[in-house]
Amino acid sequence: FTIHGTNSPELAKHFGDTAEQLRHDLAILWLGTPLPQWSAPCSIHFTVGDIGAGGATSFTFTDELPFSGEVFGWEMKIQGNFESLTTAVLPHEITHMIFASYFRCPLPRWLDEGGATSVENDMERANHRRQLNRFLRTQRGIPFNTMVKLRDYPNDVMSLYAQGFSVVEFLIAQRGHHHFINFAADGIRDSNWGRAVQMYYDYENLGDLQLQWTAWVADGCPAFDSLQNAPLLAGDTSAIEQVSHETQPQPVLASPLPKIGMNAELDSIIAPSQLRSTPFTPKPASPTSAHPGQEGIPASDNQVLLEWKRL
């Protein structure tokens, strides 16, 4: 990383060291191994002060097919106070970079933003849980068979952030980060998320996952009795400190796994209050307009959303 935007050598060293450590620790958290060196460092442009926290990271894929291309041209622009930059914005943005380095293709938004949000500090994660309950009770939940297909931000982007984070948290709490990455790799390979859910988490299909997740949210997101690894739930321990000896993500298969076939999926979200939402039809949103107003803007991505530059 190269640091720009601060005249303080102490601040520059702090943020440079923090970014390097996060790159190492978060790669181990998600992948079980550090990332190899990039061909060139990522420039980080900081604006540090008593201002709203946010960030944007841009990079280039040479191919949109999973695991087939390369990614390069890293650049990050972030702002906020010292604490939010250190514990929320930088972890969020660097998780985007780890995902890009591993999958080497654009990801479904729920997975990319949900995973990045899951490593923010306790306060930000708790804020997303509170918002999620409000969104579900006001019929703003996104049906899972719609959510998994979203490649662009919907108009109701805050619902996507909160719901994507919660679904990632739910799955990680059951079988850990490395198992989740294996599941994600399988799902993005052929977009058959119903089969991937069945194979990796023993749910019948996306509809079954949706029902079980909704019941879990309504019950207050409790810990699972038979956790194989430390859960990523509300508490004093950060995600990075929960690194455990999980089964590392598997190498990419040379050919796709056979399809089992998807059963009929639910077309709506049942809120904890038993209100039923209407199916959501996503509409593409520009990177600068995806966050409406000041409604619970997350600690990261609220200035200019992550952009995918494609050759």
Side-chain angles (χ1 to χ4, degrees), residues 25-44:
D25 292 351
L26 287 169
I28 292 177
L29 176 74
W30 291 107
L31 308 177
T33 183
L35 289 180
Q37 291 296 315
W38 293 322
S39 59
C42 170
S43 296
I44 307 181

mmCIF file of all heavy atoms in Angstrom, residues 25-44:
data_model
loop_
_atom_site.group_PDB
_atom_site.id
_atom_site.type_symbol
_atom_site.label_atom_id
_atom_site.label_comp_id
_atom_site.label_asym_id
_atom_site.label_seq_id
_atom_site.Cartn_x
_atom_site.Cartn_y
_atom_site.Cartn_z
ATOM 1 N N ASP A 25 -4.265 -10.525 7.884
ATOM 2 C CA ASP A 25 -5.159 -11.194 8.828
ATOM 3 C C ASP A 25 -6.499 -11.561 8.198
ATOM 4 O O ASP A 25 -7.050 -12.638 8.457
ATOM 5 C CB ASP A 25 -5.397 -10.308 10.049
ATOM 6 C CG ASP A 25 -4.150 -10.129 10.896
ATOM 7 O OD1 ASP A 25 -3.150 -10.825 10.632
ATOM 8 O OD2 ASP A 25 -4.167 -9.305 11.825
ATOM 9 N N LEU A 26 -7.049 -10.666 7.377
ATOM 10 C CA LEU A 26 -8.340 -10.946 6.772
ATOM 11 C C LEU A 26 -8.235 -12.034 5.699
ATOM 12 O O LEU A 26 -9.167 -12.814 5.505
ATOM 13 C CB LEU A 26 -8.935 -9.669 6.180
ATOM 14 C CG LEU A 26 -9.464 -8.664 7.205
ATOM 15 C CD1 LEU A 26 -9.791 -7.333 6.537
ATOM 16 C CD2 LEU A 26 -10.688 -9.208 7.923
ATOM 17 N N ALA A 27 -7.106 -12.097 4.999
ATOM 18 C CA ALA A 27 -6.919 -13.191 4.047
ATOM 19 C C ALA A 27 -6.890 -14.529 4.776
ATOM 20 O O ALA A 27 -7.473 -15.520 4.312
ATOM 21 C CB ALA A 27 -5.637 -12.984 3.246
ATOM 22 N N ILE A 28 -6.252 -14.584 5.926
ATOM 23 C CA ILE A 28 -6.232 -15.820 6.711
ATOM 24 C C ILE A 28 -7.624 -16.126 7.235
ATOM 25 O O ILE A 28 -8.064 -17.285 7.246
ATOM 26 C CB ILE A 28 -5.210 -15.709 7.851
ATOM 27 C CG1 ILE A 28 -3.788 -15.668 7.279
ATOM 28 C CG2 ILE A 28 -5.363 -16.861 8.838
ATOM 29 C CD1 ILE A 28 -2.706 -15.475 8.313
ATOM 30 N N LEU A 29 -8.345 -15.101 7.682
ATOM 31 C CA LEU A 29 -9.705 -15.306 8.173
ATOM 32 C C LEU A 29 -10.580 -15.942 7.103
ATOM 33 O O LEU A 29 -11.285 -16.922 7.361
ATOM 34 C CB LEU A 29 -10.309 -13.963 8.608
ATOM 35 C CG LEU A 29 -11.773 -13.999 9.057
ATOM 36 C CD1 LEU A 29 -11.892 -14.630 10.436
ATOM 37 C CD2 LEU A 29 -12.388 -12.606 9.051
ATOM 38 N N TRP A 30 -10.543 -15.391 5.890
ATOM 39 C CA TRP A 30 -11.434 -15.859 4.823
ATOM 40 C C TRP A 30 -10.877 -17.064 4.076
ATOM 41 O O TRP A 30 -11.622 -17.984 3.722
ATOM 42 C CB TRP A 30 -11.695 -14.728 3.822
ATOM 43 C CG TRP A 30 -12.525 -13.613 4.343
ATOM 44 C CD1 TRP A 30 -12.101 -12.361 4.679
ATOM 45 C CD2 TRP A 30 -13.942 -13.623 4.604
ATOM 46 N NE1 TRP A 30 -13.142 -11.589 5.122
ATOM 47 C CE2 TRP A 30 -14.292 -12.343 5.089
ATOM 48 C CE3 TRP A 30 -14.933 -14.587 4.462
ATOM 49 C CZ2 TRP A 30 -15.597 -12.002 5.437
ATOM 50 C CZ3 TRP A 30 -16.241 -14.263 4.810
ATOM 51 C CH2 TRP A 30 -16.562 -12.977 5.288
ATOM 52 N N LEU A 31 -9.570 -17.063 3.805
ATOM 53 C CA LEU A 31 -8.996 -18.037 2.879
ATOM 54 C C LEU A 31 -8.089 -19.067 3.547
ATOM 55 O O LEU A 31 -7.771 -20.093 2.945
ATOM 56 C CB LEU A 31 -8.196 -17.321 1.788
ATOM 57 C CG LEU A 31 -8.917 -16.194 1.049
ATOM 58 C CD1 LEU A 31 -7.971 -15.533 0.060
ATOM 59 C CD2 LEU A 31 -10.164 -16.716 0.349
ATOM 60 N N GLY A 32 -7.617 -18.762 4.749
ATOM 61 C CA GLY A 32 -6.715 -19.678 5.439
ATOM 62 C C GLY A 32 -5.256 -19.487 5.105
ATOM 63 O O GLY A 32 -4.394 -20.177 5.639
ATOM 64 N N THR A 33 -4.945 -18.528 4.244
ATOM 65 C CA THR A 33 -3.565 -18.294 3.843
ATOM 66 C C THR A 33 -3.414 -16.841 3.414
ATOM 67 O O THR A 33 -4.374 -16.245 2.910
ATOM 68 C CB THR A 33 -3.170 -19.226 2.680
ATOM 69 O OG1 THR A 33 -1.796 -19.039 2.354
ATOM 70 C CG2 THR A 33 -4.018 -18.958 1.452
ATOM 71 N N PRO A 34 -2.254 -16.228 3.606
ATOM 72 C CA PRO A 34 -2.076 -14.837 3.153
ATOM 73 C C PRO A 34 -2.157 -14.730 1.637
ATOM 74 O O PRO A 34 -1.934 -15.703 0.910
ATOM 75 C CB PRO A 34 -0.659 -14.489 3.652
ATOM 76 C CG PRO A 34 -0.355 -15.488 4.714
ATOM 77 C CD PRO A 34 -1.081 -16.742 4.327
ATOM 78 N N LEU A 35 -2.483 -13.536 1.157
ATOM 79 C CA LEU A 35 -2.479 -13.291 -0.280
ATOM 80 C C LEU A 35 -1.047 -13.193 -0.799
ATOM 81 O O LEU A 35 -0.161 -12.702 -0.100
ATOM 82 C CB LEU A 35 -3.192 -11.969 -0.600
ATOM 83 C CG LEU A 35 -4.701 -11.890 -0.449
ATOM 84 C CD1 LEU A 35 -5.160 -10.481 -0.813
ATOM 85 C CD2 LEU A 35 -5.419 -12.921 -1.299
ATOM 86 N N PRO A 36 -0.814 -13.632 -2.024
ATOM 87 C CA PRO A 36 0.484 -13.348 -2.642
ATOM 88 C C PRO A 36 0.612 -11.853 -2.916
ATOM 89 O O PRO A 36 -0.366 -11.114 -2.882
ATOM 90 C CB PRO A 36 0.440 -14.157 -3.935
ATOM 91 C CG PRO A 36 -1.020 -14.302 -4.236
ATOM 92 C CD PRO A 36 -1.712 -14.390 -2.903
ATOM 93 N N GLN A 37 1.824 -11.414 -3.199
ATOM 94 C CA GLN A 37 2.044 -10.004 -3.495
ATOM 95 C C GLN A 37 1.335 -9.629 -4.792
ATOM 96 O O GLN A 37 1.288 -10.405 -5.744
ATOM 97 C CB GLN A 37 3.536 -9.709 -3.622
ATOM 98 C CG GLN A 37 4.297 -9.813 -2.316
ATOM 99 C CD GLN A 37 3.833 -8.783 -1.305
ATOM 100 O OE1 GLN A 37 3.659 -7.613 -1.636
ATOM 101 N NE2 GLN A 37 3.634 -9.214 -0.070
ATOM 102 N N TRP A 38 0.761 -8.426 -4.813
ATOM 103 C CA TRP A 38 0.204 -7.903 -6.045
ATOM 104 C C TRP A 38 1.329 -7.415 -6.959
ATOM 105 O O TRP A 38 2.459 -7.190 -6.512
ATOM 106 C CB TRP A 38 -0.737 -6.738 -5.743
ATOM 107 C CG TRP A 38 -1.975 -7.134 -4.998
ATOM 108 C CD1 TRP A 38 -2.703 -8.276 -5.167
ATOM 109 C CD2 TRP A 38 -2.639 -6.385 -3.974
ATOM 110 N NE1 TRP A 38 -3.782 -8.287 -4.309
ATOM 111 C CE2 TRP A 38 -3.766 -7.139 -3.564
ATOM 112 C CE3 TRP A 38 -2.398 -5.161 -3.361
ATOM 113 C CZ2 TRP A 38 -4.644 -6.700 -2.580
ATOM 114 C CZ3 TRP A 38 -3.271 -4.717 -2.380
ATOM 115 C CH2 TRP A 38 -4.383 -5.483 -1.997
ATOM 116 N N SER A 39 1.002 -7.240 -8.217
ATOM 117 C CA SER A 39 2.009 -6.761 -9.161
ATOM 118 C C SER A 39 2.395 -5.312 -8.898
ATOM 119 O O SER A 39 3.465 -4.866 -9.301
ATOM 120 C CB SER A 39 1.493 -6.908 -10.597
ATOM 121 O OG SER A 39 0.288 -6.165 -10.769
ATOM 122 N N ALA A 40 1.532 -4.577 -8.232
ATOM 123 C CA ALA A 40 1.806 -3.178 -7.879
ATOM 124 C C ALA A 40 1.017 -2.853 -6.615
ATOM 125 O O ALA A 40 -0.033 -3.459 -6.362
ATOM 126 C CB ALA A 40 1.408 -2.232 -9.013
ATOM 127 N N PRO A 41 1.502 -1.927 -5.784
ATOM 128 C CA PRO A 41 0.776 -1.603 -4.555
ATOM 129 C C PRO A 41 -0.521 -0.861 -4.828
ATOM 130 O O PRO A 41 -0.725 -0.306 -5.907
ATOM 131 C CB PRO A 41 1.766 -0.706 -3.791
ATOM 132 C CG PRO A 41 2.643 -0.124 -4.847
ATOM 133 C CD PRO A 41 2.752 -1.165 -5.918
ATOM 134 N N CYS A 42 -1.397 -0.874 -3.830
ATOM 135 C CA CYS A 42 -2.651 -0.124 -3.894
ATOM 136 C C CYS A 42 -2.431 1.256 -3.288
ATOM 137 O O CYS A 42 -1.900 1.381 -2.178
ATOM 138 C CB CYS A 42 -3.735 -0.861 -3.108
ATOM 139 S SG CYS A 42 -5.254 0.093 -2.871
ATOM 140 N N SER A 43 -2.834 2.289 -3.993
ATOM 141 C CA SER A 43 -2.788 3.646 -3.461
ATOM 142 C C SER A 43 -4.020 3.885 -2.599
ATOM 143 O O SER A 43 -5.140 3.621 -3.033
ATOM 144 C CB SER A 43 -2.745 4.679 -4.591
ATOM 145 O OG SER A 43 -1.559 4.551 -5.345
ATOM 146 N N ILE A 44 -3.814 4.355 -1.380
ATOM 147 C CA ILE A 44 -4.932 4.711 -0.502
ATOM 148 C C ILE A 44 -4.890 6.208 -0.265
ATOM 149 O O ILE A 44 -3.896 6.745 0.235
ATOM 150 C CB ILE A 44 -4.864 3.972 0.850
ATOM 151 C CG1 ILE A 44 -4.733 2.469 0.655
ATOM 152 C CG2 ILE A 44 -6.107 4.299 1.677
ATOM 153 C CD1 ILE A 44 -4.694 1.689 1.964
#
